[in-house]
Amino acid sequence: MYKRKIQVMSGSTYMVSLPKEWARLHNLKQQDEVVMEVLPDLSLKITPIQSRKSYEKSYVFYLTGVRKYDIIQLVSAYLAGYDEVKVNCGRCPVEYGRGIVRELVSKTIGLEIIETSQFEYVVKNVAGDFSISVDEIVLRVFRILKMMLQDLADALARDGGREKLLELAERDSLVDKLTMYGLRVFNKVFTGEILPKDIGFKSFAEVNIYYNVLRNLERAVDHVSYLAKDLGEVDSLMNDEVKEITLNHIRSLSEFCEKVMTLYSSKSGKDFTGILSEDYENVKKTEELFRNLVASNPNFFFIYDNLYRVRGYLLDIIELISDVKFLIQRLQAAES
């Protein structure tokens, strides 16, 4: 809901400004026309003569034979919001095209192969863009991050071995799928194809904040995954001192992650001074111990570096949650 004050020009012309968000959604510019209709209840309906942009639903991509390039381009088409992608094999071997399409389907939520021919595959988004809410995606990624940290500590404490650590690292692929699905939905809002209210938000500013929350979570998971892979290579080389400090650091970070997730879940903008004064400071203390260890044993710097970055991303999320709190306060004040 928007509130505007009526301006009177020349004593007889009543003027009111249109909401900027609404005008941008309809791609309105100076001199564009709108239709105003007085409804039976005497309310006023304003409709733009120029309709909103219509977006292409289908995209044709010709494979180049450069695997990494082809996958990046196809994923980008998915993120941009295309509902159907026709993958033309061109001069590439049929086996290559089949492998690329199967990899694309395995990396995404919703895409399925619906048609094949000798030289072309058609993949379509069959899940729609609202089968999983953005809020549910964020909470799922939070839970995965927390469990990865807990399981990483357990694997080290019990000498779980290389296989367990590599299994942990592979969970990153699930987070990538969830994140890409969420980013696809966010991109449709940013381009004006759907409205913020369609995915449960009141403004573009709120959508942007949650976009960054999801991005930060994805990056935190990436670094836990990197750490698990690297630890799988050097676990047997860690002495008791290194292992104990590493365990304490991971456990304090896991507790910090759980508190940040609870703060996000509350949606109440509750006070988080305790999280910063206790849990965050505990992480900083274990981090300092590790920094001192690395000074004399730089071979384990990768452990410190990855956990340092995870802590930073979680702190960024706390700041974003605070941003949401004040943004909602302003929106509510504007509506009252």
Side-chain angles (χ1 to χ4, degrees):
M1 183 176 69
Y2 300 94
K3 292 175 67 176
R4 293 289 189 273
K5 289 186 177 181
I6 295 174
Q7 306 293 327
V8 181
M9 303 292 291
S10 303
S12 59
T13 302
Y14 292 80
M15 300 182 65
V16 65
S17 64
L18 296 173
K20 184 185 297 183
E21 181 185 75
W22 181 84
R24 286 178 174 174
L25 278 173
H26 291 284
N27 200 32
L28 295 177
K29 303 180 294 295
Q30 188 173 347
Q31 302 300 321
D32 285 346
E33 294 183 334
V34 296
V35 174
M36 291 181 284
E37 178 184 1
V38 179
L39 300 180
D41 63 356
L42 300 184
S43 62
L44 190 64
K45 178 181 178 181
I46 302 177
T47 307
I49 293 178
Q50 175 182 323
S51 61
R52 288 170 61 185
K53 295 178 182 178
S54 60
Y55 289 84
E56 291 183 354
K57 299 294 184 181
S58 183
Y59 177 74
V60 179
F61 179 74
Y62 294 87
L63 295 177
T64 66
V66 180
R67 190 174 196 87
K68 193 68 174 177
Y69 175 85
D70 289 341
I71 286 294
I72 289 174
Q73 291 288 290
L74 288 168
V75 168
S76 294
Y78 170 80
L79 291 175
Y82 285 103
D83 290 322
E84 182 179 278
V85 179
K86 297 177 181 179
V87 183
N88 191 295
C89 296
R91 297 180 179 179
C92 296
V94 175
E95 294 77 13
Y96 173 81
R98 185 185 301 116
I100 288 291
V101 170
R102 287 178 176 174
E103 184 174 347
L104 174 66
V105 170
S106 71
K107 284 178 174 290
T108 55
I109 293 176
L111 286 187
E112 296 291 345
I113 301 171
I114 62 167
E115 188 178 327
T116 63
S117 65
Q118 186 176 358
F119 300 107
E120 187 176 75
Y121 290 85
V122 180
V123 292
K124 187 178 181 66
N125 176 32
V126 298
D129 293 318
F130 304 102
S131 56
I132 308 176
S133 71
V134 170
D135 190 51
E136 183 181 352
I137 289 172
V138 172
L139 284 172
R140 286 191 180 190
V141 177
F142 251 127
R143 287 193 289 267
I144 292 171
L145 174 60
K146 183 188 73 170
M147 291 306 302
M148 286 179 73
L149 288 167
Q150 290 177 351
D151 291 347
L152 182 58
D154 289 343
L156 285 175
R158 300 175 184 177
D159 295 321
R162 187 170 183 271
E163 292 74 19
K164 177 63 177 177
L165 291 168
L166 291 179
E167 182 275 323
L168 261 170
E170 290 171 358
R171 298 182 199 176
D172 178 54
S173 60
L174 173 57
V175 170
D176 287 343
K177 290 176 70 169
L178 289 166
T179 301
M180 286 195 294
Y181 183 86
L183 297 182
R184 172 185 165 88
V185 174
F186 283 133
N187 285 337
K188 286 198 169 189
V189 177
F190 293 144
T191 57
E193 190 171 351
I194 59 177
L195 297 172
K197 68 178 183 179
D198 294 332
I199 59 171
F201 299 111
K202 294 183 178 180
S203 69
F204 281 104
E206 196 177 357
V207 172
N208 185 56
I209 290 173
Y210 280 89
Y211 173 93
N212 284 293
V213 168
L214 184 56
R215 273 297 198 188
N216 278 294
L217 275 173
E218 179 198 22
R219 290 163 183 155
V221 170
D222 283 343
H223 283 284
V224 177
S225 177
Y226 300 153
L227 179 57
K229 288 178 184 176
D230 291 341
L231 284 174
E233 302 297 330
V234 302
D235 183 31
S236 60
L237 304 177
M238 297 172 68
N239 60 38
D240 290 341
E241 180 189 15
V242 173
K243 186 167 290 188
E244 181 181 358
I245 293 177
T246 302
L247 282 171
N248 289 337
H249 196 177
I250 294 173
R251 285 167 177 162
S252 66
L253 200 53
S254 175
E255 292 172 2
F256 181 50
C257 176
E258 185 167 7
K259 293 295 179 63
V260 177
M261 181 175 70
T262 301
L263 177 66
Y264 171 85
S265 302
S266 69
K267 298 291 189 298
S268 62
K270 67 177 184 179
D271 181 75
F272 51 84
T273 53
I275 298 177
L276 293 179
S277 63
E278 297 175 15
D279 300 276
Y280 180 70
E281 287 303 315
N282 286 338
V283 174
K284 292 290 292 293
K285 288 176 183 177
T286 57
E287 196 174 272
E288 183 63 28
L289 290 173
F290 213 108
R291 185 186 293 117
N292 295 334
L293 173 69
V294 168
S296 59
N297 197 339
N299 291 331
F300 297 106
F301 174 77
F302 73 92
I303 302 175
Y304 168 82
D305 182 56
N306 281 301
L307 295 179
Y308 174 85
R309 292 174 187 274
V310 173
R311 188 262 294 173
Y313 289 128
L314 288 172
L315 181 61
D316 287 345
I317 291 171
I318 289 179
E319 293 171 355
L320 289 165
I321 293 171
S322 179
D323 293 345
V324 170
K325 171 186 173 182
F326 283 94
L327 178 64
I328 291 175
Q329 283 180 0
R330 290 201 69 196
L331 289 172
Q332 290 174 341
E335 292 174 355
S336 61

